Amino acid sequence: MPRSLVSTFQATTSFLKEAWFQGTPAWTTADIPDLSGQVFIVTGGNSGLGKDTVRALLEHEARVYVASRDEKRSLAAIDELFEQTGRRALFLQLDLADLKSVKMAADQFLSTETRLDVLYNNAGILGTPLDVVANGYDMAFHTHILGPFYLTILLLPLLTATARMRPDQNARVVNLTSSAHHLVGSPPLEFDTFKDGPERRKRENLAFFYCQSKFATILFSNELSRRYKDQGVVSIAVNPGNFSTSLQRRMNESSVHSILTEYCLFLYPGEWGSITQLWAGTAPEAFEASGKYVAPWGRIGQPHPETEDVELAVKLWVYLEEQIKGL
């Protein structure tokens, strides 16, 4: 069999295994420890898995910020969660496709809070039309990589300070990726497509940008751990599993992921959606997962082999630093 076909078969097998064949959770939200006094940010926390994450954190006495660009939807979600939990989350205006908004959100948070125990880089998009860009960048790249990178960098001083005050000496950054990262091409990152231009416009299948950005998420997460773990920052890349969410329903209909999601009947129950990221952010033992890739349900997974390429991770990190220089 030609090498290209072997690689495609292996990638598809890994994708299928992680998307749907992970068994049942042994760890549940009932295992979350008491979070009294702890502060969390959940980007995209007004809907889907993010909203479920906020709910579970509130149920365990956390102080939680719902970071989203849509104030109306966020306030409605906060009201709903208050009715369900008796605890009120806080709204943080944040548009990850706008670096000025990211800076304003970080400044607002830093002027209000004196600690940050966990940052959930949870927000995601799918299927944005090719003509829609964010300040000249591909929308998936900006939303999944550049925006979260900038937000994380701005909040790192508070994360490291919080780690020093905690008994376990760690604060956490949980970065949501996807089993779809296995479906990247070769090379896995095409830097010329990060910004709008001829190379980006050659791509007709929007799933390319999603898969590439989720691969890059793992590189970023791993490099963050390498650079800041000795300062108490635990960084974990999490694949939450395969669920029927509004995010997935917007996937390009021609993509492999969309076809499999549409026609296969083994989607996980919605109540399991937030389990893996909650484990990564709250379970004491998840400290050991820093710099690793976590598959459902809190198990160390096997990501695409090239996510272990340190040279590529550094190249991405330097590229991202250049994009925020002077801001």
Side-chain angles (χ1 to χ4, degrees), residues 96-247:
L96 289 169
D98 182 347
L99 294 181
K100 290 182 180 179
S101 173
V102 174
K103 180 66 163 60
M104 290 176 62
D107 287 346
Q108 179 184 341
F109 181 84
L110 293 170
S111 69
T112 305
E113 297 292 343
T114 58
R115 67 184 294 157
L116 175 58
D117 296 83
V118 182
L119 167 62
Y120 278 100
N121 286 321
N122 166 85
I125 59 168
L126 284 174
T128 304
L130 193 63
D131 288 336
V132 178
V133 295
N135 303 310
Y137 295 91
D138 174 70
M139 184 65 79
F141 170 79
H142 204 305
T143 304
H144 295 157
I145 300 299
L146 184 56
F149 175 83
Y150 190 34
L151 179 65
T152 303
I153 292 298
L154 292 170
L155 296 175
L156 268 172
L158 187 55
L159 284 163
T160 56
T162 303
R164 290 192 295 271
M165 73 173 69
R166 286 174 55 100
D168 59 11
Q169 296 288 288
N170 75 86
R172 302 184 187 186
V173 181
V174 180
N175 304 292
L176 256 69
T177 182
S178 166
S179 56
H181 87 275
H182 286 288
L183 304 180
V184 292
S186 181
L189 290 186
E190 297 188 21
F191 284 74
D192 289 343
T193 66
F194 292 168
K195 288 186 176 180
D196 195 30
E199 292 303 314
R200 178 178 176 274
R201 293 281 167 167
K202 289 179 183 178
R203 298 288 179 172
E204 296 182 358
N205 184 355
L206 298 180
F208 163 83
F209 300 104
Y210 180 80
C211 296
Q212 175 176 254
S213 69
K214 289 303 182 180
F215 179 95
T217 295
I218 302 174
L219 287 180
F220 155 65
S221 185
N222 292 352
E223 186 63 17
L224 179 64
S225 178
R226 279 189 286 268
R227 291 175 182 243
Y228 291 96
K229 187 177 180 182
D230 63 350
Q231 297 182 49
V233 176
V234 170
S235 177
I236 306 173
V238 167
N239 165 26
N242 200 68
F243 303 89
S244 180
T245 67
S246 58
L247 184 66

Side-chain angles (χ1 to χ4, degrees), residues 70-81:
D70 192 327
E71 183 174 6
K72 183 177 179 181
R73 286 183 61 194
S74 295
L75 294 178
I78 287 170
D79 287 343
E80 178 186 339
L81 291 170

Side-chain angles (χ1 to χ4, degrees), residues 39-117:
V39 181
F40 294 72
I41 294 176
V42 182
T43 69
N46 62 348
S47 64
L49 306 186
K51 184 177 176 183
D52 292 340
T53 298
V54 173
R55 179 185 297 106
L57 295 173
L58 291 172
E59 288 173 344
H60 290 81
E61 309 300 318
R63 181 173 173 87
V64 189
Y65 282 80
V66 173
S68 169
R69 64 181 178 179
D70 192 327
E71 183 174 6
K72 183 177 179 181
R73 286 183 61 194
S74 295
L75 294 178
I78 287 170
D79 287 343
E80 178 186 339
L81 291 170
F82 177 73
E83 292 178 2
Q84 295 171 350
T85 69
R87 294 182 61 83
R88 186 170 293 278
L90 301 159
F91 173 64
L92 182 64
Q93 185 83 50
L94 171 68
D95 183 354
L96 289 169
D98 182 347
L99 294 181
K100 290 182 180 179
S101 173
V102 174
K103 180 66 163 60
M104 290 176 62
D107 287 346
Q108 179 184 341
F109 181 84
L110 293 170
S111 69
T112 305
E113 297 292 343
T114 58
R115 67 184 294 157
L116 175 58
D117 296 83

